[in-house]
């Protein structure tokens, strides 16, 4: 079994396939009485071997995935109501149930969390970033640190995921510094024919009937930065690559000029090396999501002047700021306030910041002049020092045939975590269009760490049933 991606989804699945088996903890009481009754029906059967559809029926919460809600409520029974009830799961290590697998990733374990500025505070509460059987707050306590406002920094989380892999003894399954370039279905017959031609020993027993497997090609970057190619054959492949790879472009003239960037790190570097300062022309920030808000907070903290352009109205219910509780997210509430009060039309109390709601970028010029158009069609020219287009990102599935489009819910559009995820079976996460291929996390529409773990439970349960490893 091969996983592509070593973020929280991949780590959680590796844990479940390394022989760590969840059971309902005797004498524990789940606040959801119907679920409690179902759990009591087969207390000696592990959750992995039970009927996940039956257990998750009737659960409600902040995810569309029934198994995500099930696993989350078993790990954190009443967290949405502000409760702190203990997990109703107990974990047993049953080595005979482990399935051999490899987890490939570019970064150290934790995936994209290693690419995010370490001091950024997460949107989710710290305890929701935790993985099974090692609560995040216990790990932080060992570091003698508390959670700020119940939330954690990206740096803490990246470290916690690396610690988790070591602590649970999973590191032998992880290969970091690997880049996958192609995943294709091949027949075992074609492999053995090729092997005979090459005169090498085939991986496959030649008497075995002809079956289809995945051939995964890529390269490994060694310590010297040299690329070493590899090819691996696997019956099952799990896509867990997330969506951090390819920032969305606006598709306007001049967007490829050197002063236009699509990642927040570009602003951090420019401030660090002094190329942008309090005396510079304003930085244009385009977008109204949390990454754009993080950029505004960073610029505000460094006294860098900002022009903030976004397409929606300030009170649009679809705007993320209108969905966040104020008490838990004071800094994002502050950005939302700035967006409301500090428009170009009326100057408000915030220096160095101008908000342009219902504006879109028409073009970027070589002279660092940017043309914007407002909701009434009027155009304005702004002289800027740098532009950050932060309007979301898309998964990079270039290693799949046709960029993975054939696997999506709508086969005419690219895969998008919010609008067009990969079409998977809700109880196994196997791709509807390709047997043996599974998709986890944002690719399957699960965008929060606390809910990607249910996908891992579904895949682990399906793969163990396939392998028929000591079922009840």
């Amino acid at each position: 079994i091969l996983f592509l991606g070593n973020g929280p989804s991949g780590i959680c699945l590796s844990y479940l396939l390394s022989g760590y088996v969840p059971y309902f903890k005797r004498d524990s009481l789940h606040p959801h009485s119907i679920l409690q009754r179902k759990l009591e029906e087969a207390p000696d059967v592990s959750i992995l071997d039970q009927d996940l559809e039956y257990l998750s029926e009737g659960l409600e919460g902040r995810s569309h995935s029934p198994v995500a809600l099930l696993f989350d409520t078993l790990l954190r029974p009443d967290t949405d109501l502000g409760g702190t009830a203990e997990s109703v799961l107990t974990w047993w290590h049953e080595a005979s149930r482990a399935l051999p697998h490899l987890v490939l990733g570019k970064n150290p374990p934790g995936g994209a969390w290693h690419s995010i500025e370490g001091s950024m505070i997460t949107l989710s509460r710290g305890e929701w970033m935790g993985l099974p059987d090692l609560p995040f707050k216990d790990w932080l306590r060992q570091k003698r640190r508390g959670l700020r406002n119940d939330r954690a920094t990206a740096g803490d989380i990246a470290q916690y995921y690396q610690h988790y892999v070591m602590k649970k003894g999973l590191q032998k399954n992880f290969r970091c510094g690997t880049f996958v370039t192609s995943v294709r279905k091949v027949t075992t017959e074609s492999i053995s024919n090729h092997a005979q031609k090459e005169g090498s020993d085939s991986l496959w027993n030649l008497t075995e009937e002809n079956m289809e497997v995945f051939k995964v090609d890529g390269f490994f970057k060694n310590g010297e930065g040299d690329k070493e190619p590899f090819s691996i054959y696997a019956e099952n492949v799990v896509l867990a690559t997330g969506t951090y790879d390819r920032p969305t472009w606006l598709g306007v003239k001049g967007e490829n000029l050197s002063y236009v960037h699509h990642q927040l790190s570009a602003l951090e570097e420019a401030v660090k090396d002094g190329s942008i300062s309090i005396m510079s022309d304003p930085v244009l920030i385009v977008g109204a999501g949390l990454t754009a808000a993080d950029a505004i907070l960073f610029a505000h903290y460094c006294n860098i002047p900002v022009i903030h352009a976004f397409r929606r109205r300030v009170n649009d219910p679809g705007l993320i700021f209108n969905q966040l509780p104020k008490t838990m997210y004071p800094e994002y509430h502050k950005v939302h306030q700035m967006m409301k009060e500090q428009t170009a039309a009326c100057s408000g109390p915030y220096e160095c910041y101008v908000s342009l709601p219902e504006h879109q970028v028409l073009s970027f010029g070589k002279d660092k002049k940017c043309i914007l158009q407002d909701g009434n069609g009027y155009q304005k020219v702004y002289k800027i020092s740098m532009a950050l287009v932060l309007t979301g990102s898309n998964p990079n599935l270039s290693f799949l045939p046709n960029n993975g489009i054939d696997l999506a819910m709508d086969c005419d559009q690219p895969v998008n975590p919010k609008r067009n995820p990969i079409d998977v079976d809700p109880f196994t996460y196997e791709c509807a269009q390709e047997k043996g291929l599974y998709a986890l996390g944002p690719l399957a529409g699960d965008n929060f760490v606390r809910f990607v773990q249910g996908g891992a439970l579904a895949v682990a349960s399906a793969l163990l049933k396939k392998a028929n490893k000591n079922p009840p």
Side-chain angles (χ1 to χ4, degrees):
I1 304 162
L2 206 57
F3 312 174
L4 313 187
N6 64 1
S9 305
I11 297 172
C12 186
L13 182 54
S14 177
Y15 179 67
L16 292 166
L17 292 184
S18 296
Y20 290 96
V21 182
Y23 289 88
F24 175 55
K25 201 191 294 173
R26 295 285 172 112
D27 309 327
S28 53
L29 199 59
H30 197 285
H32 193 293
S33 55
I34 298 171
L35 179 59
Q36 172 74 17
R37 206 168 61 237
K38 290 178 184 175
L39 292 166
E40 285 169 351
E41 285 168 17
D44 300 326
V45 179
S46 90
I47 303 295
L48 285 169
D49 299 312
Q50 294 197 36
D51 180 342
L52 298 180
E53 185 168 0
Y54 171 65
L55 286 181
S56 57
E57 202 179 13
L59 294 176
E60 292 175 354
R62 301 183 188 182
S63 169
H64 300 302
S65 157
V67 188
L69 290 173
L70 171 66
F71 202 31
D72 185 63
T73 191
L74 293 172
L75 290 169
R76 292 171 272 268
D78 56 357
T79 187
D80 278 337
L81 303 170
T84 52
E86 292 261 307
S87 166
V88 298
L89 296 180
T90 179
W91 294 86
W92 291 82
H93 190 230
E94 299 173 8
S96 64
R97 299 211 65 188
L99 292 179
H101 62 277
L102 267 185
V103 188
L104 307 182
K106 299 175 198 169
N107 292 317
W113 287 96
H114 292 278
S115 315
I116 301 168
E117 167 62 25
S119 60
M120 287 295 166
I121 294 172
T122 63
L123 173 64
S124 294
R125 289 163 58 172
E127 70 213 57
W128 292 350
M129 311 308 289
L131 295 172
D133 204 29
L134 182 64
F136 181 73
K137 56 179 184 298
D138 294 359
W139 174 79
L140 260 191
R141 213 173 284 136
Q142 287 169 351
K143 295 190 66 178
R144 296 188 169 73
R145 295 252 312 283
L147 290 174
R148 179 183 138 190
N149 225 6
D150 273 349
R151 288 156 65 205
T153 68
D156 282 336
I157 288 158
Q159 267 187 311
Y160 163 79
Y161 291 144
Q162 274 186 285
H163 172 79
Y164 186 92
V165 167
M166 296 298 287
K167 176 100 173 142
K168 299 294 184 187
L170 309 179
Q171 62 274 31
K172 60 184 180 301
N173 302 316
F174 282 72
R175 298 284 180 281
C176 303
T178 50
F179 296 76
V180 171
T181 52
S182 158
V183 175
R184 297 288 183 274
K185 267 257 171 98
V186 294
T187 62
T188 48
E189 192 176 34
S190 68
I191 301 166
S192 59
N193 288 347
H194 178 71
Q196 281 171 324
K197 267 193 212 129
E198 302 285 312
S200 63
D201 292 331
S202 170
L203 292 164
W204 307 94
N205 181 345
L206 300 182
T207 57
E208 195 179 315
E209 82 231 60
N210 190 25
M211 57 184 274
E212 286 195 310
V213 293
F214 292 98
K215 180 175 189 254
V216 178
D217 295 313
F219 59 86
F220 169 72
K221 270 194 180 167
N222 63 19
E224 284 75 61
D226 298 328
K227 294 180 181 179
E228 299 172 14
F230 66 78
S231 288
I232 304 173
Y233 297 98
E235 281 181 54
N236 299 289
V237 170
V238 180
L239 304 174
T241 48
T243 63
Y244 203 71
D245 284 335
R246 258 194 12 226
T248 313
W249 283 48
L250 300 170
V252 300
K253 187 172 170 249
E255 195 170 0
N256 54 355
L257 291 166
S258 62
Y259 70 92
V260 182
H261 301 270
H262 296 81
Q263 267 160 339
L264 171 52
S265 52
L267 178 60
E268 290 157 357
E269 278 158 29
V271 169
K272 219 180 264 172
D273 68 22
S275 55
I276 289 215
S277 71
I278 190 166
M279 304 307 289
S280 305
D281 285 324
V283 171
L284 173 70
I285 294 173
V286 183
L290 297 175
T291 313
D294 285 336
I296 289 159
L297 288 165
F298 179 78
H300 191 64
Y301 177 74
C302 301
N303 295 319
I304 306 292
V306 166
I307 295 168
H308 179 202
F310 48 99
R311 283 191 317 218
R312 293 177 186 260
R313 301 188 323 276
V314 190
N315 50 3
D316 185 322
L319 207 61
I320 183 82
F321 307 103
N322 290 318
Q323 301 164 21
L324 297 176
K326 289 178 189 176
T327 49
M328 230 174 111
Y329 303 101
E331 75 281 39
Y332 290 138
H333 178 59
K334 166 92 182 277
V335 171
H336 193 208
Q337 226 174 337
M338 289 161 70
M339 287 160 69
K340 282 195 266 197
E341 295 177 17
Q342 187 87 13
T343 55
C346 54
S347 64
Y350 306 102
E351 280 181 48
C352 300
Y353 171 87
V354 175
S355 155
L356 301 176
E358 296 181 80
H359 277 64
Q360 57 180 356
V361 176
L362 294 185
S363 67
F364 296 103
K366 288 193 172 127
D367 52 2
K368 295 196 178 177
K369 284 183 179 159
C370 168
I371 303 175
L372 291 162
Q373 180 173 299
D374 70 12
N376 301 318
Y378 291 115
Q379 295 182 9
K380 307 166 192 176
V381 179
Y382 288 91
K383 177 89 168 71
I384 58 175
S385 58
M386 171 182 204
L388 286 179
V389 176
L390 303 171
T391 52
S393 60
N394 287 304
N396 177 5
L397 298 174
S398 57
F399 53 84
L400 290 172
N402 197 16
N403 288 312
I405 288 176
D406 312 332
L407 303 174
M409 294 282 229
D410 174 354
C411 306
D412 298 324
Q413 298 292 324
V415 173
N416 177 287
K418 293 196 173 70
R419 291 182 294 281
N420 193 29
I422 290 177
D423 188 4
V424 296
D425 178 296
F427 299 102
T428 64
Y429 278 63
E430 189 168 23
C431 296
Q433 305 303 327
E434 186 69 88
K435 295 298 159 234
L437 192 64
Y438 297 80
L440 279 183
L443 295 178
D446 293 335
N447 289 299
F448 285 101
V449 170
R450 65 183 277 209
F451 294 126
V452 304
Q453 301 175 43
L457 178 74
V459 173
S461 173
L463 290 172
L464 283 160
K465 283 170 188 160
K466 251 190 200 178
N468 203 12
K469 281 260 185 166
N470 317 343

